[in-house]
Amino acid sequence: MTHAKPLFSWVHATDLHYEQPGKASDCLNSSDPDNKRLNCFINDINRLQGPQKPEFLILSGDITERGSAVKQELIQAKETLSRLQVPFHILAGNHDLGPNREIAAVYPGKEDYHEGPLETSNFFQVFGPEGLRFSFQRHGFHFVGFVLRDADPDGPLDWLQAQVDAIPSRGIVIGHYGLYPARTAGFLLKWGFSRHEKCLPRLQSIINGANGRVIAYLNGHNHVNSVFKNEKTTHISGGCIKGGCTGYRLFECYPDRIATRFIFLSDPTLWNFNCWGQTDPGRCIDDTHPTPEDYHRGTPSEQVFEIPLTPPSPNT
Ligand SMILES: [Fe+2]
Ligand SMILES: [Fe+2]
């Protein structure tokens, strides 16, 4: 049976990389000191109407460029996000809460490591505990979000395991970091895992151990749009608002499927399919992405696809 209207819609967006106005970053080739992309995203979301109007957004980290080091940047990002007319759940990424001391030494001022209790970190002080983990249920779908620092000093993996164990079916788990490479060759075969590699085996075990009760795992961090199925979970990298693949992903949930598509920002002059200056075809192609632009924005089948659902058990 085909259902014409979704039960509800929601949006996943990631890697906003808010910058303090006028303070250009040298980290991304796509520096946007006026935050034009973030502002376009907010306007685009506020314009969604009808069945596409999301009940909520999930923003999966790297909310800021330098929030781990500059609390004011997080405060200003929060003020900017207050223009959203849709409720949102937010998580910290490595630019908001540095993952380990090794990375902090390489990127001082951008991924500073917070030595004190998590409760005294910049991100916690600005966004509170709900910015570090969330778990809620909507229309039979269970959403779990978590924030991870390398080697798990804050204990979210025990919490995540308990949350996943409690999901009866139709779980959707969101973190900042991917569980597997987003591409089969090129720089993304290895890039980005140095932020969470100590936690990776357990994280993979938690999601795969759910044996299909986690139907989708969403992440950011690599700034590309990708999708693949591993075990019984669909893994989705959500692109990036800032640069690499400038847009967000809309999910429309039906009783028998999730229909989803990546939506690029409405202003094409803001599109950016070249993150971290990665344009070398030798580093930005793989078997199914023959050009650097394809590598960043994903194939058509990665932009629009469906996740079929089995009927929920009677007690869910
Ligand atoms: Fe990022
Ligand atoms: Fe990141």
Side-chain angles (χ1 to χ4, degrees):
M1 178 180 175
T2 299
H3 301 269
K5 285 182 62 176
L7 297 169
F8 71 116
S9 300
W10 55 282
V11 160
H12 173 222
T14 191
D15 293 79
L16 288 56
H17 285 270
Y18 174 89
E19 293 178 69
Q20 283 187 292
K23 296 187 178 179
S25 165
D26 59 358
C27 182
L28 304 174
N29 77 313
S30 50
S31 182
D32 182 8
D34 295 325
N35 297 292
K36 290 179 179 175
R37 296 186 179 97
L38 176 56
N39 286 312
C40 183
F41 165 69
I42 292 171
N43 293 336
D44 287 357
I45 292 295
N46 288 344
R47 276 197 294 266
L48 289 174
Q49 293 296 329
Q52 294 183 349
K53 185 174 177 60
E55 283 196 10
F56 57 86
L57 316 181
I58 293 175
L59 307 175
S60 65
D62 285 0
I63 305 303
T64 61
E65 180 71 17
R66 309 177 186 84
S68 65
V70 182
K71 184 177 173 183
Q72 187 62 22
E73 201 165 87
L74 287 161
I75 293 170
Q76 291 176 350
K78 187 176 183 181
E79 289 172 0
T80 300
L81 291 170
S82 71
R83 287 182 41 232
L84 279 167
Q85 295 168 9
V86 177
F88 59 87
H89 301 271
I90 200 164
L91 297 170
N94 50 302
H95 283 252
D96 313 306
L97 181 70
N100 60 43
R101 296 179 185 89
E102 291 79 10
I103 289 292
V106 178
Y107 299 110
K110 295 195 183 75
E111 299 184 55
D112 283 8
Y113 188 76
H114 182 69
E115 296 287 353
L118 199 56
E119 290 72 17
T120 60
S121 67
N122 286 346
F123 197 83
F124 189 99
Q125 289 184 39
V126 174
F127 285 102
E130 58 272 22
L132 301 177
R133 59 184 66 169
F134 58 75
S135 180
F136 63 92
Q137 188 262 14
R138 291 285 177 92
H139 306 278
F141 293 83
H142 297 255
F143 294 84
V144 178
F146 67 100
V147 165
L148 193 65
R149 292 201 285 177
D150 207 8
D152 195 20
D154 312 308
L157 292 183
D158 286 343
W159 177 85
L160 179 63
Q161 180 73 72
Q163 296 298 313
V164 168
D165 287 347
I167 292 173
S169 66
R170 302 190 174 190
I172 296 170
V173 177
I174 307 99
H176 183 62
Y177 304 108
L179 271 56
Y180 301 96
R183 298 288 184 252
T184 59
F187 79 98
L188 283 178
L189 197 55
K190 294 184 178 176
W191 186 90
F193 288 88
S194 57
R195 270 86 173 177
H196 66 308
E197 60 188 0
K198 295 185 179 70
C199 297
L200 203 49
R202 178 145 188 236
L203 193 49
Q204 292 169 341
S205 168
I206 292 171
I207 301 303
N208 293 333
N211 195 28
R213 287 179 296 108
V214 175
I215 56 175
Y217 179 87
L218 314 181
N219 63 273
H221 189 56
N222 57 36
H223 293 209
V224 301
N225 171 47
S226 81
V227 59
F228 61 91
K229 194 163 185 176
N230 173 275
E231 303 286 339
K232 294 181 179 178
T233 300
T234 299
H235 293 256
I236 303 169
S237 288
C240 178
I241 296 301
K242 182 68 168 293
C245 187
T246 26
Y248 62 93
R249 181 168 285 284
L250 176 71
F251 292 83
E252 295 175 293
C253 293
Y254 297 83
D256 59 347
R257 69 192 189 284
I258 299 174
T260 178
R261 58 197 169 95
F262 196 87
I263 300 176
F264 298 99
L265 296 183
S266 61
D267 181 351
T269 67
L270 299 177
W271 292 356
N272 181 304
F273 305 118
N274 163 22
C275 200
W276 299 294
Q278 297 284 349
T279 57
D280 178 359
R283 288 174 53 78
C284 298
I285 60 172
D286 69 7
D287 289 347
T288 52
H289 305 86
T291 71
E293 183 170 322
D294 295 326
Y295 195 86
H296 288 88
R297 70 191 293 171
T299 63
S301 63
E302 285 174 305
Q303 292 170 30
V304 182
F305 60 91
E306 291 190 348
I307 302 173
L309 301 173
T310 54
S313 59
N315 60 350
T316 61

